[in-house]
mmCIF file of all heavy atoms in Angstrom:
data_model
loop_
_atom_site.group_PDB
_atom_site.id
_atom_site.type_symbol
_atom_site.label_atom_id
_atom_site.label_comp_id
_atom_site.label_asym_id
_atom_site.label_seq_id
_atom_site.Cartn_x
_atom_site.Cartn_y
_atom_site.Cartn_z
ATOM 1 N N VAL A 1 125.748 22.300 65.848
ATOM 2 C CA VAL A 1 125.588 23.756 65.784
ATOM 3 C C VAL A 1 124.181 24.056 65.265
ATOM 4 O O VAL A 1 123.822 23.531 64.205
ATOM 5 C CB VAL A 1 126.643 24.402 64.903
ATOM 6 C CG1 VAL A 1 126.483 25.901 64.821
ATOM 7 C CG2 VAL A 1 128.061 24.059 65.411
ATOM 8 N N VAL A 2 123.428 24.856 65.959
ATOM 9 C CA VAL A 2 122.060 25.147 65.523
ATOM 10 C C VAL A 2 121.868 26.626 65.406
ATOM 11 O O VAL A 2 122.705 27.441 65.870
ATOM 12 C CB VAL A 2 121.029 24.576 66.567
ATOM 13 C CG1 VAL A 2 121.102 23.043 66.601
ATOM 14 C CG2 VAL A 2 121.251 25.142 67.973
ATOM 15 N N ALA A 3 120.790 27.032 64.831
ATOM 16 C CA ALA A 3 120.462 28.455 64.678
ATOM 17 C C ALA A 3 120.248 29.078 66.065
ATOM 18 O O ALA A 3 119.760 28.409 66.953
ATOM 19 C CB ALA A 3 119.199 28.589 63.811
ATOM 20 N N GLN A 4 120.622 30.324 66.168
ATOM 21 C CA GLN A 4 120.371 31.053 67.398
ATOM 22 C C GLN A 4 118.851 31.184 67.571
ATOM 23 O O GLN A 4 118.148 31.746 66.704
ATOM 24 C CB GLN A 4 120.996 32.461 67.311
ATOM 25 C CG GLN A 4 120.782 33.304 68.604
ATOM 26 C CD GLN A 4 121.474 32.670 69.806
ATOM 27 O OE1 GLN A 4 122.617 32.241 69.686
ATOM 28 N NE2 GLN A 4 120.811 32.672 70.922
ATOM 29 N N GLU A 5 118.353 30.739 68.663
ATOM 30 C CA GLU A 5 116.924 30.730 68.858
ATOM 31 C C GLU A 5 116.409 32.121 69.178
ATOM 32 O O GLU A 5 117.023 32.827 69.942
ATOM 33 C CB GLU A 5 116.538 29.777 69.998
ATOM 34 C CG GLU A 5 115.046 29.550 70.101
ATOM 35 C CD GLU A 5 114.690 28.227 70.765
ATOM 36 O OE1 GLU A 5 115.601 27.503 71.164
ATOM 37 O OE2 GLU A 5 113.499 27.962 70.892
ATOM 38 N N SER A 6 115.312 32.502 68.551
ATOM 39 C CA SER A 6 114.743 33.791 68.794
ATOM 40 C C SER A 6 114.314 33.928 70.271
ATOM 41 O O SER A 6 113.874 32.971 70.871
ATOM 42 C CB SER A 6 113.504 33.994 67.896
ATOM 43 O OG SER A 6 112.933 35.259 68.076
ATOM 44 N N THR A 7 114.433 35.107 70.833
ATOM 45 C CA THR A 7 114.193 35.285 72.262
ATOM 46 C C THR A 7 112.697 35.268 72.586
ATOM 47 O O THR A 7 112.329 34.990 73.732
ATOM 48 C CB THR A 7 114.766 36.623 72.730
ATOM 49 O OG1 THR A 7 114.206 37.704 71.907
ATOM 50 C CG2 THR A 7 116.315 36.607 72.604
ATOM 51 N N ALA A 8 111.837 35.511 71.646
ATOM 52 C CA ALA A 8 110.386 35.492 71.919
ATOM 53 C C ALA A 8 109.654 34.902 70.734
ATOM 54 O O ALA A 8 110.048 35.098 69.567
ATOM 55 C CB ALA A 8 109.909 36.949 72.153
ATOM 56 N N LYS A 9 108.618 34.205 71.020
ATOM 57 C CA LYS A 9 107.831 33.581 69.951
ATOM 58 C C LYS A 9 107.048 34.651 69.224
ATOM 59 O O LYS A 9 106.355 35.453 69.827
ATOM 60 C CB LYS A 9 106.934 32.521 70.513
ATOM 61 C CG LYS A 9 106.100 31.779 69.476
ATOM 62 C CD LYS A 9 105.348 30.610 70.085
ATOM 63 C CE LYS A 9 104.573 29.880 69.022
ATOM 64 N NZ LYS A 9 103.838 28.719 69.547
ATOM 65 N N SER A 10 107.145 34.628 67.895
ATOM 66 C CA SER A 10 106.378 35.589 67.102
ATOM 67 C C SER A 10 104.924 35.168 67.020
ATOM 68 O O SER A 10 104.591 33.991 67.209
ATOM 69 C CB SER A 10 106.963 35.663 65.685
ATOM 70 O OG SER A 10 108.312 36.053 65.705
ATOM 71 N N GLU A 11 104.089 36.098 66.800
ATOM 72 C CA GLU A 11 102.652 35.820 66.626
ATOM 73 C C GLU A 11 102.292 36.020 65.187
ATOM 74 O O GLU A 11 102.893 36.841 64.456
ATOM 75 C CB GLU A 11 101.815 36.725 67.528
ATOM 76 C CG GLU A 11 102.007 36.460 69.025
ATOM 77 C CD GLU A 11 101.660 35.019 69.440
ATOM 78 O OE1 GLU A 11 100.725 34.459 68.851
ATOM 79 O OE2 GLU A 11 102.374 34.501 70.298
ATOM 80 N N LEU A 12 101.310 35.311 64.735
ATOM 81 C CA LEU A 12 100.820 35.472 63.379
ATOM 82 C C LEU A 12 99.470 36.193 63.444
ATOM 83 O O LEU A 12 98.618 35.836 64.255
ATOM 84 C CB LEU A 12 100.629 34.129 62.707
ATOM 85 C CG LEU A 12 101.933 33.392 62.318
ATOM 86 C CD1 LEU A 12 101.585 32.051 61.731
ATOM 87 C CD2 LEU A 12 102.757 34.187 61.326
ATOM 88 N N PRO A 13 99.231 37.183 62.581
ATOM 89 C CA PRO A 13 97.959 37.857 62.579
ATOM 90 C C PRO A 13 96.853 36.904 62.065
ATOM 91 O O PRO A 13 97.139 35.883 61.455
ATOM 92 C CB PRO A 13 98.165 39.027 61.661
ATOM 93 C CG PRO A 13 99.255 38.582 60.718
ATOM 94 C CD PRO A 13 100.147 37.737 61.554
ATOM 95 N N GLU A 14 95.621 37.265 62.310
ATOM 96 C CA GLU A 14 94.489 36.515 61.780
ATOM 97 C C GLU A 14 94.624 36.355 60.276
ATOM 98 O O GLU A 14 94.794 37.325 59.554
ATOM 99 C CB GLU A 14 93.180 37.229 62.108
ATOM 100 C CG GLU A 14 91.924 36.511 61.658
ATOM 101 C CD GLU A 14 91.561 35.347 62.583
ATOM 102 O OE1 GLU A 14 92.066 35.289 63.714
ATOM 103 O OE2 GLU A 14 90.792 34.467 62.114
ATOM 104 N N GLY A 15 94.590 35.104 59.834
ATOM 105 C CA GLY A 15 94.708 34.838 58.388
ATOM 106 C C GLY A 15 96.058 35.131 57.800
ATOM 107 O O GLY A 15 96.200 35.283 56.552
ATOM 108 N N GLY A 16 97.125 35.184 58.640
ATOM 109 C CA GLY A 16 98.451 35.453 58.149
ATOM 110 C C GLY A 16 98.905 34.457 57.067
ATOM 111 O O GLY A 16 98.609 33.260 57.152
ATOM 112 N N VAL A 17 99.619 34.978 56.059
ATOM 113 C CA VAL A 17 100.042 34.168 54.946
ATOM 114 C C VAL A 17 101.537 33.882 55.046
ATOM 115 O O VAL A 17 102.338 34.822 55.184
ATOM 116 C CB VAL A 17 99.761 34.883 53.631
ATOM 117 C CG1 VAL A 17 100.365 34.131 52.445
ATOM 118 C CG2 VAL A 17 98.273 35.059 53.409
ATOM 119 N N ILE A 18 101.878 32.596 55.034
ATOM 120 C CA ILE A 18 103.307 32.213 55.029
ATOM 121 C C ILE A 18 103.611 31.583 53.668
ATOM 122 O O ILE A 18 102.947 30.619 53.257
ATOM 123 C CB ILE A 18 103.572 31.191 56.155
ATOM 124 C CG1 ILE A 18 103.200 31.792 57.499
ATOM 125 C CG2 ILE A 18 105.067 30.748 56.155
ATOM 126 C CD1 ILE A 18 103.222 30.792 58.658
ATOM 127 N N LEU A 19 104.579 32.143 53.001
ATOM 128 C CA LEU A 19 104.908 31.752 51.643
ATOM 129 C C LEU A 19 106.325 31.185 51.579
ATOM 130 O O LEU A 19 107.287 31.877 51.958
ATOM 131 C CB LEU A 19 104.760 32.906 50.674
ATOM 132 C CG LEU A 19 105.241 32.702 49.230
ATOM 133 C CD1 LEU A 19 104.496 31.579 48.547
ATOM 134 C CD2 LEU A 19 105.118 33.997 48.456
ATOM 135 N N PHE A 20 106.487 29.980 51.051
ATOM 136 C CA PHE A 20 107.824 29.396 50.861
ATOM 137 C C PHE A 20 108.173 29.448 49.368
ATOM 138 O O PHE A 20 107.386 28.998 48.540
ATOM 139 C CB PHE A 20 107.837 27.947 51.349
ATOM 140 C CG PHE A 20 107.679 27.837 52.877
ATOM 141 C CD1 PHE A 20 106.432 27.546 53.429
ATOM 142 C CD2 PHE A 20 108.758 28.062 53.685
ATOM 143 C CE1 PHE A 20 106.290 27.469 54.772
ATOM 144 C CE2 PHE A 20 108.622 27.982 55.083
ATOM 145 C CZ PHE A 20 107.369 27.674 55.653
ATOM 146 N N GLN A 21 109.360 30.009 49.114
ATOM 147 C CA GLN A 21 109.801 30.217 47.729
ATOM 148 C C GLN A 21 111.183 29.582 47.542
ATOM 149 O O GLN A 21 111.986 29.553 48.455
ATOM 150 C CB GLN A 21 109.874 31.682 47.412
ATOM 151 C CG GLN A 21 108.596 32.293 46.892
ATOM 152 C CD GLN A 21 108.282 31.825 45.473
ATOM 153 O OE1 GLN A 21 109.020 31.065 44.865
ATOM 154 N NE2 GLN A 21 107.173 32.307 44.927
ATOM 155 N N GLY A 22 111.422 29.089 46.311
ATOM 156 C CA GLY A 22 112.775 28.531 46.040
ATOM 157 C C GLY A 22 112.769 27.582 44.886
ATOM 158 O O GLY A 22 111.957 27.718 43.932
ATOM 159 N N ASP A 23 113.656 26.584 44.962
ATOM 160 C CA ASP A 23 113.859 25.667 43.830
ATOM 161 C C ASP A 23 113.331 24.282 44.226
ATOM 162 O O ASP A 23 112.359 24.178 44.996
ATOM 163 C CB ASP A 23 115.359 25.617 43.498
ATOM 164 C CG ASP A 23 116.255 25.423 44.709
ATOM 165 O OD1 ASP A 23 115.875 24.634 45.616
ATOM 166 O OD2 ASP A 23 117.333 26.059 44.771
ATOM 167 N N SER A 24 113.970 23.221 43.784
ATOM 168 C CA SER A 24 113.438 21.861 44.010
ATOM 169 C C SER A 24 113.450 21.477 45.472
ATOM 170 O O SER A 24 112.637 20.637 45.906
ATOM 171 C CB SER A 24 114.213 20.869 43.209
ATOM 172 O OG SER A 24 115.579 20.907 43.528
ATOM 173 N N ILE A 25 114.372 22.015 46.270
ATOM 174 C CA ILE A 25 114.400 21.682 47.689
ATOM 175 C C ILE A 25 113.137 22.151 48.345
ATOM 176 O O ILE A 25 112.586 21.441 49.238
ATOM 177 C CB ILE A 25 115.637 22.329 48.344
ATOM 178 C CG1 ILE A 25 116.930 21.827 47.706
ATOM 179 C CG2 ILE A 25 115.658 22.097 49.878
ATOM 180 C CD1 ILE A 25 118.169 22.557 48.140
ATOM 181 N N THR A 26 112.619 23.274 47.978
ATOM 182 C CA THR A 26 111.377 23.803 48.473
ATOM 183 C C THR A 26 110.179 23.137 47.777
ATOM 184 O O THR A 26 109.200 22.745 48.436
ATOM 185 C CB THR A 26 111.295 25.334 48.321
ATOM 186 O OG1 THR A 26 112.399 25.906 49.003
ATOM 187 C CG2 THR A 26 109.993 25.893 48.882
ATOM 188 N N ASP A 27 110.248 23.020 46.489
ATOM 189 C CA ASP A 27 109.200 22.398 45.676
ATOM 190 C C ASP A 27 108.857 21.044 46.218
ATOM 191 O O ASP A 27 107.646 20.735 46.483
ATOM 192 C CB ASP A 27 109.709 22.299 44.239
ATOM 193 C CG ASP A 27 108.707 21.729 43.242
ATOM 194 O OD1 ASP A 27 107.862 20.883 43.639
ATOM 195 O OD2 ASP A 27 108.799 22.055 42.060
ATOM 196 N N ALA A 28 109.825 20.204 46.378
ATOM 197 C CA ALA A 28 109.705 18.868 47.009
ATOM 198 C C ALA A 28 108.522 18.063 46.433
ATOM 199 O O ALA A 28 107.748 17.462 47.199
ATOM 200 C CB ALA A 28 109.574 19.028 48.515
ATOM 201 N N GLY A 29 108.388 18.093 45.114
ATOM 202 C CA GLY A 29 107.350 17.263 44.476
ATOM 203 C C GLY A 29 105.932 17.746 44.648
ATOM 204 O O GLY A 29 104.977 16.929 44.508
ATOM 205 N N ARG A 30 105.718 19.007 44.919
ATOM 206 C CA ARG A 30 104.367 19.519 45.122
ATOM 207 C C ARG A 30 103.547 19.416 43.827
ATOM 208 O O ARG A 30 104.073 19.429 42.726
ATOM 209 C CB ARG A 30 104.384 20.963 45.613
ATOM 210 C CG ARG A 30 104.836 21.993 44.555
ATOM 211 C CD ARG A 30 104.860 23.380 45.168
ATOM 212 N NE ARG A 30 105.345 24.359 44.191
ATOM 213 C CZ ARG A 30 104.545 25.056 43.331
ATOM 214 N NH1 ARG A 30 103.261 24.819 43.340
ATOM 215 N NH2 ARG A 30 105.075 25.911 42.498
ATOM 216 N N ASP A 31 102.229 19.336 44.010
ATOM 217 C CA ASP A 31 101.307 19.333 42.865
ATOM 218 C C ASP A 31 101.008 20.806 42.565
ATOM 219 O O ASP A 31 100.366 21.489 43.341
ATOM 220 C CB ASP A 31 100.016 18.612 43.271
ATOM 221 C CG ASP A 31 98.981 18.565 42.143
ATOM 222 O OD1 ASP A 31 99.157 19.282 41.110
ATOM 223 O OD2 ASP A 31 97.956 17.845 42.299
#
């Protein structure tokens, strides 16, 4: 079972910022 796929690919604006937030699963040993 997988996520319902979005019908259209999103675009990112110039210099778009993607931020991942959370706990150790997201941290994953980052510096």
Side-chain angles (χ1 to χ4, degrees):
V1 178
V2 297
Q4 181 65 42
E5 189 156 0
S6 182
T7 56
K9 183 172 180 179
S10 300
E11 295 300 325
L12 290 175
E14 182 76 18
V17 173
I18 302 170
L19 171 61
F20 293 98
Q21 274 288 0
D23 50 39
S24 58
I25 298 170
T26 301
D27 183 329
R30 70 182 178 89
D31 181 349

